[in-house]
Amino acid sequence: MYNRKCGLAAAFLSVFLLTGCWDQRELSTISVVTGMAVDKGEKGKYILTIEAVNAQELNNRTASGFAPSTVYGLEGDSLEGLAQKMNVAFSRNLIYSHMKTLIISEKVAKKGMLDFLDFLERDREIRDDFNILIARGVKASDILRVTYQFQKSSPLKLHAQLDSMVKNWGGDPDVRLNDMIEALTSTGREPVMAAVTIKGNPKKGKSIENMQKVTPDAIVTLDSMAIFKAQKLKGFLNLNDTRNYIWIEDKLRRTSLTVPCKKNHYFDARVYDNGTKVEGYLDNGKARITVRVRTEAYLNGTQCAADLVKVEVYKKYEDLLEKTIKKNLLNTITKVQKQYGLDIFGFGEKVRQQDYQDYKKVENNWEYYFKNAEINVNVTARLRRSGIRTKSYLTNIKK
Amino acid sequence: MAPIRRLRKTRALKKIGEIKEGKEIVKQEPSNSLLSLKKTLSGAFGKSSDFRVIEGFINGRAGILFYLESMINPKQMIKTTSKLFASKKDAQPFNTLDEFRSFSREIFGGVRCKSLKDDESVSQAILNGSLVIVIEGLTEIVSFHMLNTEKRALAEPSTQTVIRGPKDSFIEAVSTNISLIRRRIKNPKLTFEKFTIGKDTQTSVFIGYMDGIVNEKVLKELKDRLNGIEVSAIFDSGNIEELITDKTFTFFPLALNTERPDSAAANIMDGKVAILVDGSPFALMVPAVFVNFFEISEDFYQPLYLGSFLRFIRYLSFMIALITPSVYVGVLTYHQELLPTSFLLSIIAQREGVPFPAVVEVLLMEITFEILREAGIRMPKAVGQMVSIVGALVIGQAAAEAGIISNIMIIIMAITAIANFVAPVYSFSSASRLIRFLLIISAAILGLYGVFLMLILMVAHLCSLRSFGIPYLSPLAPFILEDQKDVFIRFPYWAMNNRPKYLESEKAIKANPVASPSPPPMKGE
């Protein structure tokens, strides 16, 4: 009994005494890192720039008009070493767990130097849910420096902005670390990333004054989507194509489509529900891909005087909508096939899942098959409602 | 009217001569046994000024009355003694006890009468508020229970209040408390057994239970434990609680206490045993399990949805009171990644300039609050307002404005304090109140890991507890499906036709199963 008690006491004490407070950090000794930017270095491999926010400035009650964050960059060969070395400039312990955005410069991506992703995936503090973005045409570190009126810190702004974008229109492929690594490692899919750029003067964007203007001197905008071949950046697709890409990927939440109903007259369909299925197989040395889209939308504005009480009108509009969607999707796919020949849509993945035996034979040469694939797009579109009006006033307008 | 002579004990011997000079009555000297008894008792009660001895002649026989003036109902005393000493012409001196009894019945009516054999029981009877009569020539001494029943009026419960439900509560007089329960359970099976505990205080302790329903094993165990008590004084049911519960070294109360007779009656009907202690307005109910401390009788007086919701609120409050400060410390010093970014930034901004680590901040505020709380209970009522004003200022504004603590800390402390007061049984809130501090310390050393380590230890400890042999966590561990009708969700009253299974009552079924009433058929149906 005595021995047992001693043993229990020892176990209990060792839990408290041997573990201890090794990772204890008081709030007043930490700075929250919200964003990282990776540029190509001159002496070292990379320049890592981080943004540590000043929490007091981000809180309306305590803000006193100073800079909302501090941005500092260091040059070196690996991100890990640089991230831990940041105290050459910062006074507080940096915590990376709240990092929202990783910005990679175009140059780094073009050289295919994305191997630092291993550190980001491995580190125990950094999460895998931050946005990964390409800085198109500007230095990645400059993106961090541009101030903004609401979130103040650029990475926080981008995080919120992209989230809203995905919810309202699409246009951001919403790539996180896991998606990236998955795309890099799977066959039959090439990675993509959203690309951002700075509209305006990056130098002026660094100041507090930038937050005080109705039209900021510089603002970070979502520009396009970057296409990769493995780790190398190969090109960009514009926002409409990006939206179509998301549509095919079945990641579309909501979007809005402008469809011609007469010459130079359009109606708007607000797409609120969508399901896309991709079927693919190899047939006589040719890949046949069928994209089946089922979309629900409501009519949210028409420039044609349409009598929206009648079923026929809806049917006509649905027909027009289907055609437009089909045309758009096909355009994007063909563009990627012809221009880049990179299977960013993951068609290869689908074929592998659905026609494994045949795919195995062409696995190493899939790019060729993708380029020459026969693409079919089937669209079923339904217009369910017409906003809070039925008949448009345009039908009653006095001539 | 025969002369009634009252003799003060101190002057008793001098005045014996005067008694002898009584006129009509045949004079008889008090015998030796009478005198010796008087001597013993005078010695036993010593210098007490409220000890009274009256000597006189009762139907021609010398007799002595002993009593404690402070314990006897004075009105009854005057009425009876005046009759007792009134001598009738045709009075026959009684020779046997029976004769005396029939004589005394006329005088005392239905007053409880007892025959006493030895000196010990005589002094006990006097102490319990009896009038002891010794009569020359009778072998036995007779006592009449004439206790002064002065007591506090029934009032509303002060610690276990309800909005809807009976508003009476137990008082210090145990006889009243018993009657309050009996009035609710009009059943001859309701049994009250008396124990006299406390070598020096001789406190009356009653256990009340439903014969035929109560678990006999629990009852026997309780009786054994009560009989085994060897202390000199009992003043409150709290004393008894500590002496009879299965484990003293625990933060959790192992006996339910209530000052509500309806709650006591309901628990007795479930098969529990009530322990009523003379002088204490709190009855103990045993055995008590963990979930009992989250149930109140009002749950059943209110609509069942509200009753269930309020139970949920009570469990939630228990957890809030228990872990909020420690989670605050743990998250702020170890797990900043757990908070949403905007929340973390807001906390950092608020804590900017606070000179203390989170744990010091928390301990500072918690201890300040405990001091205020204790002061609030102990201080004279007249200065109460002042303390609460000063306390609110100290805790709230001043500390935050001086930058010693952050605003969020005040929120944490306030919610913890308020949640702690939700516990329906005050003694149970002490568990969360004390364990909270252990949790804060372990959160400071180990973060949330420490918090959960302590919580696991707490659950392990709870699993090890027994209340009169009944597992403390039943009906959750061991899990009893049938008893879940009255744990987290309060089922309709008509659906609860079984007594709690964990109590292992002798009669498990309360009533035949019935369905909810439904409206009568409509016209034409």
Side-chain angles (χ1 to χ4, degrees):
Chain A
M1 195 59 203
Y2 179 73
N3 275 337
R4 200 166 145 240
K5 272 189 180 166
C6 276
L8 276 175
F12 187 76
L13 279 177
S14 61
V15 159
F16 281 91
L17 297 179
L18 297 183
T19 48
C21 3
W22 59 272
D23 62 344
Q24 185 194 15
R25 281 173 306 201
E26 279 298 327
L27 275 194
S28 51
T29 67
I30 62 165
S31 278
V32 178
V33 174
T34 52
M36 266 187 187
V38 185
D39 282 296
K40 198 171 162 350
E42 279 160 19
K43 288 175 213 153
K45 197 173 171 186
Y46 304 110
I47 299 173
L48 173 69
T49 311
I50 63 157
E51 167 159 32
V53 292
N54 177 359
Q56 268 191 301
E57 284 306 315
L58 296 187
N59 188 319
N60 281 341
R61 283 184 55 233
T62 49
S64 47
F66 296 118
S69 62
T70 311
V71 177
Y72 186 76
L74 271 182
E75 194 165 346
D77 290 330
S78 93
L79 252 55
E80 205 284 330
L82 293 173
Q84 307 301 339
K85 203 179 156 190
M86 278 296 167
N87 283 106
V88 296
F90 291 98
S91 62
R92 293 185 170 183
N93 302 314
L94 299 171
I95 61 161
Y96 288 92
S97 47
H98 284 271
M99 198 177 91
K100 293 290 177 204
T101 315
L102 169 72
I103 300 154
I104 302 165
S105 84
E106 208 181 326
K107 271 187 200 164
V108 170
K110 276 194 172 143
K111 291 254 174 189
M113 292 168 14
L114 295 188
D115 23 17
F116 56 80
L117 291 181
D118 176 75
F119 153 64
L120 298 176
E121 192 194 16
R122 191 180 300 278
D123 189 84
R124 63 166 75 200
E125 242 182 47
I126 297 173
R127 301 183 188 204
D128 52 11
D129 66 344
F130 51 86
N131 295 84
I132 305 183
L133 306 170
I134 294 285
R136 189 178 182 185
V138 288
K139 272 164 70 181
S141 57
D142 281 343
I143 303 264
L144 291 185
R145 291 194 172 97
V146 177
T147 52
Y148 183 69
Q149 201 173 358
F150 298 108
Q151 280 83 11
K152 295 184 181 176
S153 138
S154 187
L156 293 180
K157 181 234 175 189
L158 276 171
H159 186 70
Q161 180 190 350
L162 295 177
D163 198 42
S164 313
M165 189 71 187
V166 167
K167 277 179 189 156
N168 293 314
W169 196 79
D172 166 32
D174 203 18
V175 170
R176 308 290 163 109
L177 187 60
N178 279 345
D179 305 323
M180 191 65 200
I181 286 166
E182 204 176 299
L184 280 171
T185 50
S186 93
T187 69
R189 174 185 285 278
E190 298 296 343
V192 294
M193 272 184 207
V196 291
T197 189
I198 300 173
K199 288 271 154 69
N201 186 347
K203 279 199 180 134
K204 283 192 179 170
K206 292 175 194 177
S207 61
I208 296 168
E209 288 79 53
N210 193 42
M211 292 193 282
Q212 294 168 343
K213 293 185 178 167
V214 178
T215 310
D217 291 325
I219 190 162
V220 179
T221 56
L222 180 62
D223 178 78
S224 50
M225 182 172 80
I227 303 180
F228 283 74
K229 181 181 171 144
Q231 302 203 43
K232 270 190 184 168
L233 177 67
K234 286 294 176 187
F236 295 95
L237 280 182
N238 68 27
L239 283 183
N240 275 326
D241 285 328
T242 309
R243 195 252 315 264
N244 296 337
Y245 164 82
I246 297 167
W247 212 316
I248 296 163
E249 284 276 279
D250 196 18
K251 280 184 189 164
L252 191 74
R253 303 271 286 276
R254 267 169 169 231
T255 192
S256 170
L257 203 62
T258 306
V259 183
C261 51
K262 260 195 281 184
K263 202 184 174 207
N264 208 23
H265 283 70
Y266 302 92
F267 75 88
D268 301 297
R270 188 92 175 103
V271 175
Y272 62 87
D273 190 21
N274 180 70
T276 307
K277 273 183 188 161
V278 177
E279 287 158 20
Y281 60 95
L282 284 153
D283 179 28
N284 285 333
K286 199 169 171 74
R288 291 182 201 281
I289 310 289
T290 312
V291 180
R292 289 181 203 282
V293 177
R294 203 187 173 287
T295 287
E296 281 190 31
Y298 61 87
L299 188 127
N300 208 18
T302 173
Q303 297 166 10
C304 307
D307 189 2
L308 283 167
V309 186
K310 290 178 180 149
V311 181
E312 301 86 67
V313 179
Y314 272 96
K315 289 212 164 141
K316 199 186 105 196
Y317 275 28
E318 280 176 357
D319 209 38
L320 289 169
L321 180 62
E322 280 173 8
K323 277 181 186 151
T324 311
I325 295 174
K326 186 174 173 174
K327 196 184 81 197
N328 285 353
L329 300 190
L330 264 176
N331 269 351
T332 303
I333 299 173
T334 328
K335 192 172 169 187
V336 174
Q337 274 179 313
K338 296 276 136 52
Q339 243 180 339
Y340 303 103
L342 294 170
D343 185 7
I344 54 170
F345 305 103
F347 289 157
E349 230 172 50
K350 296 286 176 192
V351 176
R352 204 188 73 187
Q353 286 163 7
Q354 293 164 15
D355 191 4
Y356 183 65
Q357 293 306 331
D358 287 333
Y359 179 77
K360 237 180 141 182
K361 288 173 206 156
V362 302
E363 192 177 5
N364 296 323
N365 206 13
W366 171 250
E367 233 164 69
Y368 166 79
Y369 287 89
F370 171 70
K371 270 184 205 168
N372 298 306
E374 186 192 306
I375 311 287
N376 247 317
V377 179
N378 285 336
V379 183
T380 317
R382 290 279 174 271
L383 279 173
R384 294 291 189 202
R385 272 167 282 277
S386 60
I388 55 170
R389 283 276 173 275
T390 47
K391 214 171 191 175
S392 168
Y393 75 91
L394 291 171
T395 55
N396 291 341
I397 217 155
K398 282 174 225 155
K399 292 277 157 18
Chain B
M1 273 294 266
I4 296 167
R5 294 160 211 241
R6 283 184 173 222
L7 300 180
R8 299 216 166 251
K9 180 197 121 211
T10 43
R11 280 176 269 153
L13 290 172
K14 263 192 253 167
K15 301 236 170 153
I16 282 175
E18 291 170 42
I19 299 169
K20 285 179 195 163
E21 287 157 24
K23 286 162 197 168
E24 302 98 331
I25 297 164
V26 184
K27 291 155 202 163
Q28 263 181 325
E29 286 285 330
S31 75
N32 275 341
S33 76
L34 250 151
L35 281 174
S36 75
L37 182 68
K38 200 174 100 181
K39 224 175 180 176
T40 332
L41 286 173
S42 306
F45 286 92
K47 295 164 198 151
S48 288
S49 57
D50 58 344
F51 180 66
R52 294 276 188 278
V53 178
I54 302 179
E55 298 184 31
F57 288 94
I58 299 164
N59 272 13
R61 277 181 184 268
I64 309 185
L65 272 55
F66 301 98
Y67 65 98
L68 278 171
E69 198 179 23
S70 54
M71 294 292 286
I72 295 253
N73 185 346
K75 274 187 199 160
Q76 210 180 354
M77 177 73 192
I78 292 166
K79 221 164 72 186
T80 46
T81 43
S82 61
K83 279 186 194 164
L84 197 64
F85 291 117
S87 71
K88 292 174 191 159
K89 289 268 162 151
D90 54 347
Q92 290 292 316
F94 33 74
N95 297 316
T96 62
L97 188 66
D98 286 341
E99 275 178 26
F100 174 68
R101 283 237 166 129
S102 61
F103 162 76
S104 67
R105 207 164 292 139
E106 288 169 27
I107 295 165
F108 290 99
V111 172
R112 200 166 79 211
C113 168
K114 240 186 189 174
S115 307
L116 308 168
K117 297 258 159 54
D118 49 78
D119 292 1
E120 181 69 16
S121 56
V122 168
S123 62
Q124 269 318 316
I126 293 171
L127 283 169
N128 281 332
S130 291
L131 175 71
V132 172
I133 303 177
V134 190
I135 293 174
E136 174 68 33
L138 293 181
T139 49
E140 275 173 81
I141 303 164
V142 187
S143 78
F144 293 92
H145 194 71
M146 280 167 51
L147 179 67
N148 187 353
T149 48
E150 246 173 44
K151 64 197 171 195
R152 178 161 73 91
L154 292 184
E156 284 197 26
S158 54
T159 66
Q160 295 169 1
T161 48
V162 293
I163 290 174
R164 183 167 172 192
K167 305 265 184 188
D168 53 350
S169 80
F170 288 134
I171 58 168
E172 283 75 7
V174 71
S175 54
T176 310
N177 295 348
I178 290 174
S179 83
L180 284 174
I181 295 177
R182 265 212 197 280
R183 263 183 244 168
R184 286 181 164 79
I185 307 176
K186 297 190 182 70
N187 190 323
K189 298 262 185 186
L190 176 63
T191 314
F192 284 96
E193 281 185 48
K194 187 182 175 186
F195 292 79
T196 305
I197 299 174
K199 266 193 299 241
D200 297 333
T201 57
Q202 296 290 326
T203 310
S204 313
V205 173
F206 290 85
I207 60 169
Y209 55 89
M210 287 299 282
D211 199 20
I213 289 175
V214 72
N215 179 348
E216 292 292 341
K217 267 188 275 174
V218 170
L219 190 64
K220 189 178 169 294
E221 181 67 31
L222 174 62
K223 285 179 184 171
D224 287 349
R225 287 187 196 177
L226 285 173
N227 285 328
I229 293 177
E230 292 278 347
V231 291
S232 83
I234 295 289
F235 295 112
D236 187 82
S237 55
N239 297 139
I240 296 281
E241 183 178 346
E242 204 166 305
L243 290 165
I244 61 167
T245 47
D246 300 47
K247 194 171 192 144
T248 313
F249 297 102
T250 173
F251 294 126
F252 294 92
L254 295 175
L256 189 68
N257 66 66
T258 179
E259 56 172 349
R260 304 183 50 78
D262 60 323
S263 159
N267 276 307
I268 288 174
M269 287 311 295
D270 268 350
K272 289 189 183 151
V273 188
I275 304 167
L276 302 161
V277 178
D278 197 16
S280 169
F282 286 92
L284 296 177
M285 311 297 311
V286 293
V289 296
F290 186 76
V291 296
N292 291 154
F293 293 92
F294 295 91
E295 297 161 358
I296 56 169
S297 48
E298 198 182 4
D299 289 347
F300 294 94
Y301 308 149
Q302 281 174 334
L304 79 160
Y305 292 116
L306 186 64
S308 304
F309 174 69
L310 293 180
R311 279 207 185 159
F312 166 73
I313 292 290
R314 274 176 229 132
Y315 282 101
L316 184 75
S317 307
F318 174 67
M319 284 316 284
I320 287 176
L322 197 62
I323 64 174
T324 324
S326 48
V327 167
Y328 173 79
V329 170
V331 168
L332 256 58
T333 44
Y334 291 92
H335 311 285
Q336 293 93 359
E337 66 275 6
L338 285 183
L339 298 173
T341 309
S342 51
F343 187 36
L344 174 69
L345 291 175
S346 152
I347 294 179
I348 294 179
Q350 283 183 39
R351 278 189 54 87
E352 201 70 38
V354 173
F356 301 119
V359 59
V360 175
E361 190 188 18
V362 166
L363 285 177
L364 203 71
M365 287 322 283
E366 289 294 338
I367 287 175
T368 311
F369 174 72
E370 290 296 336
I371 292 170
L372 277 170
R373 180 174 170 175
E374 186 60 12
I377 297 169
R378 305 297 156 221
M379 71 199 160
K381 283 213 169 80
V383 296
Q385 231 178 353
M386 207 177 69
V387 171
S388 55
I389 292 168
V390 171
L393 280 177
V394 166
I395 286 198
Q397 260 174 313
E401 269 174 30
I404 295 171
I405 55 160
S406 58
N407 284 324
I408 189 136
M409 184 61 236
I410 295 175
I411 300 172
I412 298 278
M413 198 206 60
I415 186 70
T416 311
I418 291 168
N420 202 12
F421 287 126
V422 171
V425 180
Y426 185 76
S427 61
F428 191 75
S429 72
S430 66
S432 51
R433 193 172 162 186
L434 294 171
I435 295 172
R436 192 166 78 212
F437 285 97
L438 291 180
L439 286 171
I440 292 172
I441 306 273
S442 60
I445 303 171
L446 293 173
L448 286 189
Y449 170 62
V451 173
F452 284 96
L453 208 65
M454 287 308 274
L455 286 180
I456 289 169
L457 282 177
M458 186 186 93
V459 173
H461 172 70
L462 281 172
C463 287
S464 78
L465 290 177
R466 298 277 183 284
S467 178
F468 289 83
I470 309 291
Y472 195 53
L473 280 187
S474 56
L476 303 172
F479 185 79
I480 301 168
L481 185 65
E482 296 93 295
D483 290 355
Q484 302 304 316
K485 284 180 178 178
D486 191 18
V487 178
F488 296 113
I489 294 169
R490 192 283 260 181
F491 269 47
Y493 201 47
W494 47 259
M496 279 186 267
N497 32 41
N498 290 333
R499 299 207 155 78
K501 218 169 181 181
Y502 60 84
L503 287 176
E504 291 165 22
S505 351
E506 302 290 313
K507 202 170 145 198
I509 295 166
K510 233 190 249 183
N512 294 326
V514 285
S516 159
S518 52
M522 299 248 289
K523 211 173 166 188
E525 250 185 278

